[in-house]
Amino acid sequence: MSNLRSYLARLRAILGSADPRLASRLVTVSGSGGYLLTLAPNELDARIFADLSRRGQAHLRAGDHASAAARLHDALALWRGPAGENISATGTLAQQLADLDEQRIIATEDFIDARLALGATSGLLQDVRALVLDQPLRDRPWEQLMRALYLTGDPAGALGAYQKARASFGDALGIEPSRRLQQLQGSILQRDDRAIARLALQ
């Protein structure tokens, strides 16, 4: 208990050095033996991230890809690594951290979709490849990689990505790629730009 009080005193001192008003926000919760740090909505990165992500996703649905990319870029810029990277978490906290990471991955996928709609580039290809390496069992990054390769004039690379996706799903899960990925492969084989564009909008 003395260690906890020492940690709290140090934390109050750190908060106070940043802004004297912050030290008073760390309070004892009556009857629980716990402590609470109160924050305004605009002071918590997770809330700011969620708000920017929602706005970016709304722009994406509306077809405003430039605004979507801008909002999602700002949201993702708040991240420095996995949620709670240096925390040993179990139970509810572990689930909350996992949920935050899932939201980050979805925002990353949305950001890539917005950028694809604005025009595939070599820089975008690097980002999609990095996401595929990080999430090899998610359909959407593989689809985005295939589309990006096709849009940059590399249909053979796009078909090769499909084969890698098939191997990844087969080796890890014993399943074939999703119907959507199979449809995209077929459209690329036929060089059917309209079908590829329609699939991207679904």
Side-chain angles (χ1 to χ4, degrees):
M1 192 65 171
S2 62
N3 280 344
L4 178 58
R5 291 195 186 98
S6 174
Y7 293 145
L8 288 166
R10 287 168 55 196
L11 180 56
R12 283 194 177 100
I14 292 169
L15 291 170
S17 68
D19 183 338
R21 295 169 296 179
L22 291 179
S24 64
R25 295 198 196 174
L26 185 61
V27 298
T28 305
V29 179
S30 178
S32 73
Y35 297 84
L36 178 68
L37 178 64
T38 58
L39 295 171
N42 65 345
E43 294 174 326
L44 189 62
D45 282 352
R47 290 180 183 173
I48 299 169
F49 165 75
D51 178 60
L52 287 169
S53 294
R54 280 193 296 270
R55 289 163 59 193
Q57 288 157 357
H59 286 306
L60 190 60
R61 287 192 298 272
D64 184 353
H65 300 114
S67 295
R71 298 295 83 73
L72 292 162
H73 172 273
D74 291 346
L76 293 166
L78 295 168
W79 286 84
R80 298 291 181 271
E85 186 174 17
N86 299 315
I87 297 174
S88 178
T90 59
T92 301
L93 178 58
Q95 185 58 57
Q96 290 173 338
L97 293 175
D99 290 345
L100 274 173
D101 270 331
E102 175 67 13
Q103 292 167 30
R104 174 181 58 83
I105 294 166
I106 291 170
T108 302
E109 293 171 340
D110 289 338
F111 183 42
I112 288 170
D113 267 349
R115 291 166 68 195
L116 275 170
L118 293 169
T121 65
S122 58
L124 175 56
L125 270 173
Q126 293 172 4
D127 292 345
V128 182
R129 286 191 171 107
L131 183 59
V132 165
L133 286 173
D134 186 53
Q135 301 293 327
L137 299 180
R138 290 177 76 96
D139 274 1
R140 197 171 171 194
W142 284 110
E143 177 187 334
Q144 291 172 327
L145 178 58
M146 291 169 66
R147 285 169 50 208
L149 287 164
Y150 184 80
L151 291 172
T152 53
D154 186 8
L159 294 171
Y162 175 81
Q163 293 304 325
K164 290 177 182 175
R166 187 179 184 193
S168 181
F169 289 120
D171 292 345
L173 304 173
I175 61 173
E176 289 291 314
S178 68
R179 180 173 177 79
R180 185 180 174 94
L181 280 182
Q182 293 179 41
Q183 288 175 332
L184 180 56
Q185 182 215 23
S187 297
I188 291 171
L189 280 168
Q190 296 169 18
R191 307 295 195 270
D192 189 340
D193 293 353
R194 289 185 179 180
I196 293 168
R198 281 198 304 271
L199 189 64
L201 294 173
Q202 293 175 6

